[in-house]
């Protein structure tokens, strides 16, 4: 069966450090992978999309890598700030038809 | 900045009652979706809608559920004969294009509590 697994534990880091989140998937061959941010009680907010032919993508302090051989994406938040505290969701589209499958998310807490 | 709006933000209903959740997608978007998130669980796909018809639906989206775009702006999710396990946050989303073109824009959700 198809699975998307993210860091199972919450991530607590000191302000200014880099947070690294992992998304592993099995039995998928996605054309692209997305990352979303979700704050408590709110809807997911899109952050980044990376395609299978892209190794790395950056947006401000965010960086995403995509290794289709390892079936893994890494999501980095550099120079983290308390405002980055949220749950980060990895999402795949298994059949390229916008039927996104989400991981359970990793909750990041940045301490001042 | 354009946004997806959902109403109501919270609805409490008795088991067996019908519920309609409403969404106004971003105006120039062509694809519309409903997702749900049971408390503490993953965001789950329910249905996608394009050109006035369902394009994809999940196993969750059975005969109890229906969607409609009654006019040029609203997109609704109807849940007939609600069950306790329908209690969840329901998110509407829209996107300007279809496959592989980019992000989904989510609304803030409608929390449904079935008693």
């Amino acid at each position: 069966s198809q699975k998307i697994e993210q860091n199972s534990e919450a991530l607590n880091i000191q302000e200014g450090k880099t947070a690294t989140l992992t998304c592993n998937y099995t039995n998928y061959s996605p054309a692209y992978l997305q990352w979303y941010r979700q704050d408590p009680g709110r809807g997911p907010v899109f952050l980044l999309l990376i395609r299978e032919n892209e190794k790395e993508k950056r947006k401000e302090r965010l960086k995403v890598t995509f290794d289709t051989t390892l079936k893994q994406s890494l999501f980095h938040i550099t120079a983290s700030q308390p405002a980055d505290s949220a749950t980060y969701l990895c999402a795949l589209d298994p059949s390229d038809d916008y039927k996104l499958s989400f991981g359970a998310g990793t909750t990041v807490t940045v301490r001042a | 900045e354009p946004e997806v709006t959902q109403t109501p933000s919270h609805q409490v209903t008795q088991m067996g009652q019908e519920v309609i959740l409403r969404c106004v997608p971003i105006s120039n978007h062509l694809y519309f979706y409903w997702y749900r998130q049971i408390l503490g669980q993953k965001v789950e796909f329910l249905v996608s809608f394009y050109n006035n018809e369902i394009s994809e639906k999940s196993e969750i989206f059975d005969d109890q559920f229906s969607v409609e775009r009654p006019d040029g702006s609203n997109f609704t999710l109807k849940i007939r004969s609600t069950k306790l396990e329908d209690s969840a946050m329901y998110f509407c989303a829209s996107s300007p294009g279809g496959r592989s073109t980019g992000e989904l824009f989510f609304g803030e959700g409608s929390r449904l509590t079935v008693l």
Side-chain angles (χ1 to χ4, degrees):
Chain A
S1 62
Q2 296 172 323
K3 284 186 183 178
I4 303 171
E5 293 183 343
Q6 298 189 239
N7 302 56
S8 57
E9 296 177 4
L11 198 59
N12 291 288
I13 60 169
Q14 186 71 38
E15 183 175 10
K17 301 294 186 184
T18 296
T20 298
L21 285 62
T22 304
C23 176
N24 294 298
Y25 57 93
T26 56
N27 297 324
Y28 287 105
S29 295
Y32 60 92
L33 183 147
Q34 300 186 26
W35 285 89
Y36 288 78
R37 168 184 173 140
Q38 187 175 29
D39 291 286
R42 308 196 70 174
V45 175
F46 173 81
L47 296 174
L48 282 165
L49 179 151
I50 186 165
R51 302 188 187 281
E52 60 180 342
N53 60 348
E54 297 174 316
K55 294 293 184 188
E56 181 179 298
K57 203 140 187 197
R58 292 174 185 261
K59 178 183 174 183
E60 298 172 354
R61 295 183 293 106
L62 307 179
K63 184 179 86 171
V64 172
T65 62
F66 192 15
D67 188 326
T68 55
T69 302
L70 290 179
K71 293 187 180 294
Q72 181 181 78
S73 175
L74 298 179
F75 178 84
H76 306 271
I77 308 171
T78 59
S80 59
Q81 303 168 0
D84 295 326
S85 299
T87 297
Y88 292 86
L89 310 176
C90 163
L92 300 176
D93 185 351
S95 309
D96 195 23
D97 57 8
Y98 259 102
K99 190 174 166 180
L100 280 183
S101 293
F102 283 86
T106 299
T107 299
V108 174
T109 302
V110 181
R111 303 187 308 275
Chain B
E1 186 175 325
E3 58 181 18
V4 175
T5 57
Q6 291 187 241
T7 55
S9 56
H10 189 191
Q11 179 150 1
V12 181
T13 191
Q14 293 292 324
M15 192 167 54
Q17 296 297 303
E18 177 181 283
V19 164
I20 297 176
L21 305 179
R22 292 182 168 81
C23 169
V24 179
I26 295 173
S27 63
N28 62 346
H29 285 189
L30 300 177
Y31 292 78
F32 315 116
Y33 312 84
W34 284 99
Y35 285 78
R36 81 172 185 189
Q37 188 173 30
I38 295 170
L39 187 64
Q41 297 188 24
K42 296 181 183 184
V43 175
E44 300 175 288
F45 171 82
L46 292 179
V47 66
S48 59
F49 192 86
Y50 169 70
N51 201 25
N52 281 321
E53 60 182 26
I54 291 173
S55 48
E56 295 287 338
K57 60 183 182 178
S58 71
E59 293 175 352
I60 303 168
F61 194 89
D62 59 20
D63 292 343
Q64 183 194 8
F65 295 89
S66 62
V67 289
E68 193 177 35
R69 187 157 164 82
D71 53 42
S73 59
N74 290 287
F75 179 50
T76 63
L77 174 69
K78 182 188 288 186
I79 309 173
R80 286 180 282 275
S81 188
T82 49
K83 300 176 281 197
L84 295 176
E85 54 265 38
D86 295 327
S87 295
M89 185 76 101
Y90 289 81
F91 294 109
C92 175
S94 68
S95 65
R99 302 172 182 186
S100 305
T101 57
E103 67 204 84
L104 295 189
F105 293 78
F106 283 84
E108 294 290 28
S110 292
R111 181 172 298 284
L112 175 64
T113 302
V114 182
L115 302 177

